[in-house]
Amino acid sequence: MLNEERVILMTKLASYEAGEGKKNVAIGSYFRSDYIGWQVLKSIISASIAFVVVFAMYIFYDFEVFMMDIYKMDLLEFCKNVLLWYAAVVGTYAVVSYIVYTYRYSKARKSLRLYYKNLRKLANMYENR
């Protein structure tokens, strides 16, 4: 005879494993600092690439004027401003990434705790038949 509560719990667990559980198990396999550090590092690399692309587009947009003005401008000041903008963009992106991935990690861990609790509950149901 089928136990209805056990079937409902097994269905819920299977649904979790097929959907959100795959992502959460992958996240949960890392230590908190490793996961967040790795994600922030990837974000910094992505932000750096995006900054270089946008800066190149800015320079090439009106390249002729830039080349004429390059002899008139203070190159050291220009480089300092570019590096300041780079630090601001990448720093902001890193802080936002840290916040987002900290939230995702804590949410995944909480979800995994509930999943493991339900697995233990299911195991107890089988033992107490």
Side-chain angles (χ1 to χ4, degrees):
M1 183 147 211
L2 292 176
N3 184 345
E4 187 176 327
E5 184 181 351
R6 195 168 47 196
V7 171
I8 291 172
L9 188 58
M10 285 191 299
T11 305
K12 186 189 300 186
L13 291 172
S15 173
Y16 177 80
E17 288 173 0
E20 184 183 347
K22 286 182 185 178
K23 178 180 65 169
N24 288 345
V25 168
I27 291 172
S29 66
Y30 289 99
F31 288 113
R32 180 181 182 273
S33 60
D34 292 342
Y35 174 75
I36 294 170
W38 177 245
Q39 298 302 324
V40 169
L41 180 64
K42 290 191 319 187
S43 296
I44 289 172
I45 292 169
S46 299
S48 298
I49 292 170
F51 183 84
V52 168
V53 169
V54 169
F55 180 71
M57 287 173 41
Y58 169 75
I59 296 297
F60 289 133
Y61 174 71
D62 208 2
F63 192 67
E64 184 178 345
V65 172
F66 177 76
M67 289 307 290
M68 282 195 237
D69 290 344
I70 199 164
Y71 298 110
K72 299 175 197 170
M73 72 172 70
D74 182 14
L75 290 178
L76 206 53
E77 186 68 27
F78 178 73
C79 290
K80 188 172 125 182
N81 285 338
V82 168
L83 288 177
L84 216 67
W85 274 102
Y86 171 76
V89 167
V90 171
T92 303
Y93 202 77
V95 168
V96 169
S97 295
Y98 178 83
I99 292 168
V100 166
Y101 288 112
T102 300
Y103 173 74
R104 284 186 186 175
Y105 185 82
S106 64
K107 185 179 168 188
R109 292 295 291 187
K110 185 185 293 185
S111 179
L112 282 172
R113 268 189 236 114
L114 180 63
Y115 172 69
Y116 291 132
K117 179 182 170 188
N118 284 336
L119 277 178
R120 284 190 297 276
K121 183 177 177 182
L122 182 65
N124 287 337
M125 283 180 180
Y126 272 106
E127 289 175 2
N128 296 332
R129 308 196 265 181

